[in-house]
Each structure stands twice: as C-alpha cells, then as structure tokens.
Amino acid sequence: MYEISLPHGTMTRFPAAGVKKNALILCPGGGYEHCSIREGAPAGRAFARRAHAEQYGISPQRIAVGGFSAGAHLAGLHAAVWNRASWYPQGTDLALHQPNAAVLCYPVVSAGEYAHRGSFEQLAGDDMEKQQAFSLENLVSPDMPRTFLWHTLTDETVPVENSLLLEKSLRRAGVSHELHLFPHGVHGLALADMETSDIEKGRLPDRHIARWQALCAEWLKE
C-alpha cells in the first residue's frame, strides 16, 4: 500500500500479489462533502487481498472505475462521458480516459424526484436546471462500458430508484450490465462486513449482502 499524489488530493494504491493486475479505481462516498473512510481503504484492500488475487484478476489491459454512493456517481459520470470533449480541458486525449468497466455500489444517479439532493447541490448549487446536467441516467450512451450495480430496497438515503433508473437507461442503450437488489439494508453498507460496520447507524454485517464483492469479482473476470 502506498499513496500517489494528485493535483486535488491523493490516491492510495493496494497492489495485488503476483503478476501485473488490472486497476480497479474506487471512489468513496460522502455526498461530495467528504470521503467515507469505510468505503475507501477497506474496499481497496479487499479487492487486492493475496488469497484472492487470482479470483479478482482480470485482463491487464482493462481498467475499471467504481465507487460507493456519491463516489459511484463520480465513477458513473466518468464512465458515461469519457469520450465527450466538452467535459474535459481542450486538447485532452479522450482515448486515455476510456474505462472498460464500471462498478457502482448504491449509486447516486438522478437529480430528479429520487435525488440525493445534497450531492447535486454540492455539484451545481441550488439551481435545479444546472443539477440536471449531472443526472446520470440521462447521460448514458452505447459508448458506456459494461456496468455492475447493487442496491438495497430499503435504502432511505439514496432510494433504489436511482439504480433502477440507471438500469433502464443502460438497457435502452444496449450496454451490458448486471444489477443485484438486496431486500434489506440501510445506505452505506460498504463491504457489509465487520470492518466496515457502523452499528450506531444501523450498518450491520450481513453475510448475504457481503456477497456482492464475490459476485462483482466473478463479473469482472468475464
């Protein structure tokens, strides 16, 4: 594990053991206000764990972007607009921005009826029209990479409709995707294990929901 300095912060790298692996870039949640510690390093370590290095390995030519909650919105936004010059500084080599997969965990998606309004206010202020520019379900195109989604049906912070709206757009655009819905669970479960639990906020370990990581690993290997 080591940190890489970036213009607007740092990125922590958790290299998997053995031969060179692909990269899974994970963005923690936090409503675009802060970075959730529970959704950062623990997830990075989990996907790089030595005992699972081969299980989680995929083609070294592929780079996946992913995240949790607002971090999933950021990752999904990049996956949706990576080839649109208007979103990047002039002269950007868009081909270098192309992700090959997106892993979106209980994502903030829509600036509409089911919005996590705080996230969109951080991005665009109180102007509802400007917020709509970041509504992910309206940005999906056939150029978006294959996408993995999961959500709980009882998420009251970021309603499951966010993932459902995105899934509908992915289906319409012909983008390969996989969606897992779990019947119970509050927002922000992260890995849904002991390390990422938050008892005071009802984020309890759940062996069933924790399987999302294994499901995601199988999906990434395809």
Side-chain angles (χ1 to χ4, degrees), residues 77-222:
L77 188 65
H78 175 70
V81 306
W82 66 269
N83 61 345
R84 303 184 195 185
S86 61
W87 285 79
Y88 296 93
Q90 187 174 4
T92 297
D93 185 348
L94 298 177
L96 295 178
H97 287 250
Q98 182 178 7
N100 297 101
V103 177
L104 310 182
C105 309
Y106 41 89
V108 169
V109 171
S110 179
E113 178 182 358
Y114 302 104
H116 180 260
R117 192 60 60 193
S119 292
F120 291 98
E121 288 175 352
Q122 288 293 321
L123 288 170
D126 296 330
D127 189 318
M128 298 290 284
E129 185 176 347
K130 289 182 178 179
Q131 290 180 22
Q132 294 302 317
F134 296 96
S135 203
L136 187 54
E137 77 274 27
N138 298 327
L139 296 170
V140 172
S141 77
D143 294 322
M144 189 164 174
R146 58 200 300 266
T147 302
F148 181 96
L149 298 138
W150 74 270
H151 221 119
T152 61
L153 295 177
T154 55
D155 189 330
E156 295 183 357
T157 304
V158 179
V160 69
E161 281 81 4
N162 281 264
S163 281
L164 295 176
L165 286 168
L166 182 54
E167 190 280 331
K168 184 177 181 180
S169 294
L170 292 168
R171 190 159 21 104
R172 283 180 171 176
V175 176
S176 176
H177 62 282
E178 182 166 319
L179 169 65
H180 293 274
L181 300 177
F182 298 96
H184 306 291
V186 300
H187 186 72
L189 289 174
L191 298 177
D193 61 3
M194 283 298 297
E195 182 180 8
T196 59
S197 65
D198 186 349
I199 306 302
E200 291 184 359
K201 295 185 178 180
R203 293 164 177 158
L204 306 177
D206 188 308
R207 294 176 64 184
H208 181 56
I209 297 176
R211 290 198 68 247
W212 78 262
Q213 188 192 350
L215 293 167
C216 182
E218 292 171 1
W219 176 83
L220 284 170
K221 285 177 67 176
E222 292 180 0

Side-chain angles (χ1 to χ4, degrees), residues 32-68:
Y32 286 109
E33 293 181 320
H34 65 277
C35 284
S36 168
I37 296 174
R38 299 169 44 263
E39 295 167 340
R45 284 194 299 268
F47 274 93
R49 200 165 290 146
R50 175 179 294 272
H52 300 290
E54 288 302 320
Q55 177 185 353
Y56 297 150
I58 61 173
S59 170
Q61 286 79 33
R62 293 190 174 183
I63 297 177
V65 293
F68 302 84

